[in-house]
Amino acid sequence: MINFLQNHIFYIGAFGLILIGLFIMISKRNLIKVIIGLSILETGVNLFIVSLGYLHKGTAPIFSKSGLDVQKMVDPVPQALVLTAIVIGLAVLALALSLTIRLYNHFGTLNLQKIKEQKW
Amino acid sequence: MRKFIGIILLFIIAWGICITLKEIPFGKQTTKIGKYYIEKGEEQTGASNIVTSVVVNYRGFDTLGEVTVLFLAAIGLGAVLATFQRKEKIKVEPSSLILNTGCRFLFPLILLFGSYIFIHGHLTPGGGFQGGAVIASAFVLVYLGCRGKRINETGSKIAESLGGLTFVILGLVGLAVGGQYFLLNFLPKGELNTLFSAGIIPIIYIAIGFKVGAELSGIIDQLMEES
Amino acid sequence: MIIIIGLLVLLMFVAAIAALIFKDLISAVIAACIVSLIAAILFYFLHAPDVAMAEASIGAALVTTVFIIAIKRTKRYEE
């Protein structure tokens, strides 16, 4: 049990976050709660991608001195991908919230059930 | 009813994930391309930080795409929020003396820290995006502390445009000099672990730092219009 | 070592479930900020300092600011 936990604790954390984020997006009716669920989902996915490149007893991929051990460095490619993904997540969230403000000024409510019933 | 269907759907997804997770090992091996970048990265680019050389030098075109997406999001936000009719302006009372002076004192120190992060992007962990975010949070501090002060719009537009133009022009100059590759690293590499090394990588990161800082503070400025 | 990481993952789950349950929207946003901060600590344990800096500065500071400004211009309580 401890061996299984030690090997897979990061995967369990990342997938738990993805499932909780999905549940918030499916079952909540307020629009801002749905966007909070989207933010938690993106954090979970980024955690999963970075934990794919881990090496047991490794070091960070930076050459602070000249002759460091090359065999023990952690994979740098997933870190470059996640750096891009975090910034783009912020851009998507800002645009979604500006559309939410516009929707509130037009309909007067943020409840998705009531917005669907109004139908222009 | 909706929650019930949601929970059943999540159980199906969780079961599918558990079946796949048994096949993925944790901490056993790296990919072949990762090994190639670590072994050859130091002598081919001259940067000490391998993640920086992957983001700017080996995959520089993807970074250009990301800068474009950020630019599009800022434009979209400005277009959606700009068509309000302005109601009467709410009178804002100025904040107290201690808060005002404290925020104005801290503002250049945080700017200095953000500039240090993106100038030394190829030697220590950091880079353009992290430094730009720190600069944007310096502007947020001034917005929250001293009420009524706003960013100079002309300066912000000039900084953002110059940053984007520098990136694209450096790529085109690389194409003209080298002959085959867009964004070729054509400046001399220098010696390892000094400030003036790694070719065009510090120049690109300075341009990205200016652009991202100006853009993020512009986003928050447009959201905070008192209307 | 494994105990510290296990406790941090448990705290992250508690904060994410709290973001589900709270009816005051500002409390839910602060719970999402706690999730982001603990993810930044976990990025440090995975030997990724660049990503940890990016997540801490962008995910925990700027996203929370943008959410709170948007909540100020709409309603505060979920109905």
Side-chain angles (χ1 to χ4, degrees):
Chain A
M1 174 70 177
I2 293 287
N3 208 13
F4 172 75
L5 212 57
Q6 192 167 8
N7 276 341
H8 291 100
I9 183 75
F10 284 106
Y11 287 165
I12 293 176
F15 276 118
L17 271 189
I18 292 180
L19 290 177
I20 293 179
L22 262 182
F23 184 62
I24 295 181
M25 282 180 82
I26 290 179
S27 81
K28 284 292 177 180
R29 294 209 166 101
N30 193 359
L31 199 49
I32 293 193
K33 262 287 166 67
V34 169
I35 298 181
I36 289 178
L38 181 68
S39 157
I40 293 181
L41 180 67
E42 281 183 11
T43 303
V45 169
N46 292 337
L47 194 58
F48 174 60
I49 293 181
V50 172
S51 76
L52 276 180
Y54 182 62
L55 213 54
H56 274 310
K57 296 188 183 5
T59 56
I62 295 182
F63 283 100
S64 44
K65 294 193 281 279
S66 236
L68 286 182
D69 190 8
V70 177
Q71 300 298 111
K72 277 193 159 315
M73 284 194 175
V74 163
D75 204 359
V77 176
Q79 297 181 15
L81 292 176
V82 167
L83 206 55
T84 305
I86 291 178
V87 175
I88 291 186
L90 168 72
V92 167
L93 242 56
L95 198 55
L97 283 173
S98 78
L99 286 173
T100 306
I101 296 176
R102 204 60 206 271
L103 214 69
Y104 176 70
N105 280 12
H106 191 251
F107 283 113
T109 174
L110 277 179
N111 200 353
L112 282 175
Q113 202 84 357
K114 294 199 182 123
I115 290 179
K116 267 195 254 189
E117 282 167 9
Q118 280 196 3
K119 282 206 186 300
W120 308 80
Chain B
M1 185 56 191
R2 198 167 157 158
K3 290 189 183 175
F4 190 57
I5 295 182
I7 291 185
I8 289 188
L9 208 61
L10 281 182
F11 268 127
I12 296 179
I13 293 179
W15 178 71
I17 284 174
C18 282
I19 289 186
T20 334
L21 260 192
K22 289 203 182 92
E23 318 286 335
I24 306 179
F26 178 65
K28 290 282 172 32
Q29 66 225 2
T30 58
T31 53
K32 290 194 181 129
I33 190 81
K35 264 202 185 50
Y36 179 81
Y37 284 155
I38 294 176
E39 284 166 7
K40 299 282 177 27
E42 199 180 341
E43 63 193 67
Q44 276 184 2
T45 62
S48 304
N49 193 357
I50 304 292
V51 178
T52 296
S53 72
V54 172
V55 164
V56 178
N57 192 16
Y58 286 116
R59 318 287 308 182
F61 200 55
D62 303 340
T63 307
L64 187 61
E66 170 189 1
V67 163
T68 307
V69 167
L70 206 54
F71 181 58
L72 277 177
I75 287 185
L77 195 130
V80 164
L81 284 182
T83 59
F84 277 152
Q85 296 119 0
R86 194 166 288 265
K87 306 188 192 75
E88 70 274 3
K89 248 183 177 320
I90 308 176
K91 185 94 177 59
V92 207
E93 57 185 58
S95 50
S96 71
L97 185 62
I98 294 182
L99 197 60
N100 222 348
T101 316
C103 288
R104 287 170 63 181
F105 173 69
L106 273 180
F107 175 67
L109 296 179
I110 300 182
L111 276 188
L112 184 67
F113 180 55
S115 313
Y116 168 77
I117 289 181
F118 67 68
I119 288 180
H120 290 255
H122 54 289
L123 301 172
T124 58
F129 297 105
Q130 291 93 330
V134 171
I135 288 182
S137 37
F139 279 109
V140 168
L141 178 70
V142 169
Y143 285 161
L144 292 179
C146 333
R147 296 186 217 130
K149 251 191 188 309
R150 282 288 178 260
I151 193 175
N152 189 8
E153 276 202 7
T154 318
S156 160
K157 284 191 189 109
I158 289 181
E160 186 172 340
S161 319
L162 274 183
L165 262 179
T166 309
F167 198 165
V168 177
I169 287 184
L170 269 180
L172 289 174
V173 168
L175 187 63
V177 166
Q180 288 169 3
Y181 300 108
F182 188 63
L183 276 175
L184 181 69
N185 202 350
F186 59 92
L187 290 181
K189 307 264 185 305
E191 37 178 282
L192 202 60
N193 265 332
T194 57
L195 189 54
F196 293 106
S197 61
I200 60 172
I201 292 182
I203 308 179
I204 289 187
Y205 253 166
I206 291 175
I208 288 181
F210 271 122
K211 181 174 176 72
V212 170
E215 225 153 38
L216 292 179
S217 45
I219 283 182
I220 295 197
D221 179 51
Q222 268 164 351
L223 273 174
M224 261 181 99
E225 285 283 318
E226 249 110 15
S227 78
Chain C
M1 188 60 192
I2 191 71
I3 298 181
I4 297 179
I5 298 181
L7 277 178
L8 281 175
V9 168
L10 195 62
L11 196 55
M12 204 163 64
F13 282 162
V14 166
I17 294 185
L20 171 72
I21 291 184
F22 283 154
K23 296 243 178 297
D24 184 3
L25 281 179
I26 291 196
S27 309
V29 162
I30 293 184
C33 175
I34 291 180
V35 167
S36 224
L37 215 51
I38 296 182
I41 298 179
L42 286 179
F43 280 140
Y44 168 70
F45 278 124
L46 283 167
H47 299 298
D50 278 301
V51 184
M53 269 170 82
E55 175 75 29
S57 66
I58 296 181
L62 289 179
V63 165
T64 308
T65 305
V66 171
F67 262 118
I68 291 186
I69 296 176
I71 289 180
K72 170 178 169 273
R73 289 175 82 162
T74 59
K75 282 196 194 153
R76 179 171 172 172
Y77 285 95
E78 176 187 4
E79 70 230 10

